[in-house]
Amino acid sequence: MTDAPPDRLASNPRSPYHDAAMLERGVGIRFNGEEKTNVEEYCVSEGWVRLPVGKSLDRRGNAMTMKFQGVVEPYFLDATEPDDGAV
């Protein structure tokens, strides 16, 4: 495994950017300085995330999403903070 999350990742298994191993490990997203827990897909190099909009579904039963532009900072949830030696 690498120390950095991938540039692009999707939670939908039909997407070519879906990676079950990465999602199982746990990836958190900080978008424009705010923690987001409902991100369907993100791309760091292009600077966007897809977030669900309301409770509406498309014809395949997936949540309807909108693309938002901004600063995307992915990180692994299992990453531990560096130990400063304090007990």
Side-chain angles (χ1 to χ4, degrees):
M1 296 240 160
T2 61
D3 290 344
D7 177 61
R8 188 167 179 177
L9 186 64
S11 61
N12 186 351
R14 293 180 180 160
S15 172
Y17 300 104
H18 177 77
D19 186 353
M22 288 288 174
L23 292 173
E24 187 175 305
R25 182 173 176 186
V27 177
I29 302 294
R30 192 172 297 113
F31 179 66
N32 288 337
E34 290 185 33
E35 298 293 321
K36 296 290 184 185
T37 58
N38 59 347
V39 175
E40 295 285 327
E41 185 175 2
Y42 74 85
C43 183
V44 176
S45 62
E46 296 176 14
W48 56 263
V49 295
R50 286 200 177 272
L51 301 173
V53 180
K55 295 183 180 183
S56 57
L57 303 175
D58 66 6
R59 62 183 175 196
R60 293 187 179 111
N62 299 321
M64 295 289 283
T65 61
M66 284 186 65
K67 185 189 281 189
F68 293 94
Q69 300 285 334
V71 179
V72 181
E73 302 171 39
Y75 60 91
F76 287 119
L77 296 176
D78 64 355
T80 57
E81 296 293 324
D83 188 18
D84 61 358
V87 178

